[in-house]
Amino acid sequence: MAGAFGRAADKLVVDVWSDVMCPFCYMGDALLERALEQFPHASGVEVRYHSFLLMPELTGDEPIDLLELLSAKRGFPREQAAAMHDQIAERGRQVGLDYRFDRAKAVGTRTAHQLSHFAAGHGKQHEMVQRLFQAYFTDGLNVADHQVLADLAAQVGLDRDAALTALADDEFADAVEADIQQARQLGITGVPFFVFAGKYAVSGAQPVEAFLQALQTSWNETVGSPAAAGIGR
């Protein structure tokens, strides 16, 4: 189930709370992926993505200038916000990401999160999340526009018409809200936030080594432990 949380049979589950418009979420996803490439049990890891609204006050689909938004909502002078973006873009280049903040269209992201849940039901959630990040940060697309989102769904191999219908019907609105409520219950106030095996947390876009350590520790204590394997029962 798209909104499930915690363990799955014979799998190490990594639950990730993130938002499409969060630059560190994009980076954290890339760093986790690098860690999984080095992790010997990667085939036994299941990553599930959960919705979080970085700016819940954004509810519309009309784009807002990102620098103006940061200035008005977060109190950053435009020059300071632009400098921060430059620093993030440079760090992103080091992990193969192409941030183009001058193109980014700030919009409400609830609908994009609904598409993530739709994709999860078809085994394409990670591909969809990655495509949404790229659409927002590199392509400058409006990730609240249903037609744009349907196109993105098709690009990762999903049925465009089915995606469009799901979005029009708000089919996954409850799943998005459930993720947001669960984040509150867990005390998650910022993203990205990673929970390994329902018990180990990593907050932020940490180095690959930190993700590898979390993967190994949680694997040893869950899937790879004698109890998990049925030994000594």
Side-chain angles (χ1 to χ4, degrees):
M1 187 171 70
F5 171 69
R7 295 191 62 180
D10 302 321
K11 288 278 189 179
L12 167 57
V13 176
V14 183
D15 290 286
V16 186
W17 273 263
S18 65
D19 193 6
V20 174
M21 69 181 304
C22 166
F24 295 107
C25 296
Y26 192 13
M27 198 177 301
D29 180 74
L31 291 164
L32 174 61
E33 188 172 30
R34 286 194 172 193
L36 285 168
E37 289 171 357
Q38 300 177 36
F39 186 56
H41 309 292
S43 62
V45 177
E46 178 184 349
V47 182
R48 299 193 292 223
Y49 293 85
H50 301 274
S51 310
F52 188 94
L53 299 180
L54 193 64
M55 290 188 175
E57 65 271 22
L58 292 181
T59 58
D61 57 3
E62 287 299 320
I64 302 170
D65 178 79
L66 187 56
L67 290 179
E68 187 62 36
L69 178 66
L70 290 172
S71 177
K73 298 291 187 181
R74 296 292 189 261
F76 292 113
R78 290 180 67 93
E79 296 77 10
Q80 183 182 350
M84 289 168 50
H85 286 165
D86 289 343
Q87 292 173 359
I88 295 169
E90 177 53 37
R91 187 177 168 194
R93 277 190 284 273
Q94 297 172 13
V95 293
L97 303 180
D98 183 14
Y99 289 95
R100 309 221 177 166
F101 288 100
D102 58 315
R103 298 180 178 178
K105 292 179 169 62
V107 290
T109 57
R110 281 183 180 270
T111 309
H113 284 299
Q114 288 191 44
L115 184 62
S116 169
H117 281 280
F118 170 80
H122 297 275
K124 291 275 190 179
Q125 191 181 34
H126 190 209
E127 295 94 328
M128 193 72 260
V129 168
Q130 288 182 317
R131 187 65 189 94
L132 285 165
F133 279 136
Q134 183 185 10
Y136 183 84
F137 286 108
T138 304
D139 302 333
L141 298 176
N142 182 339
V143 296
D145 184 285
H146 287 199
Q147 297 296 331
V148 170
L149 291 172
D151 287 343
L152 297 178
Q155 288 169 21
V156 301
L158 296 169
D159 185 284
R160 187 185 190 282
D161 290 338
L164 200 57
T165 298
L167 296 177
D169 293 344
D170 281 334
E171 184 176 340
F172 295 96
D174 289 345
V176 172
E177 189 57 36
D179 279 350
I180 294 167
Q181 291 298 329
Q182 190 172 44
R184 290 191 185 124
Q185 292 169 9
L186 293 171
I188 299 171
T189 57
V191 286
F193 195 89
F194 305 81
V195 180
F196 294 76
K199 59 192 295 189
Y200 297 103
V202 173
S203 179
Q206 298 297 327
V208 170
E209 293 73 22
F211 285 118
L212 273 171
Q213 183 177 1
L215 286 165
Q216 193 63 62
T217 298
S218 51
W219 179 272
N220 290 343
E221 295 191 11
T222 54
V223 181
S225 69
I231 299 172
R233 290 183 180 176

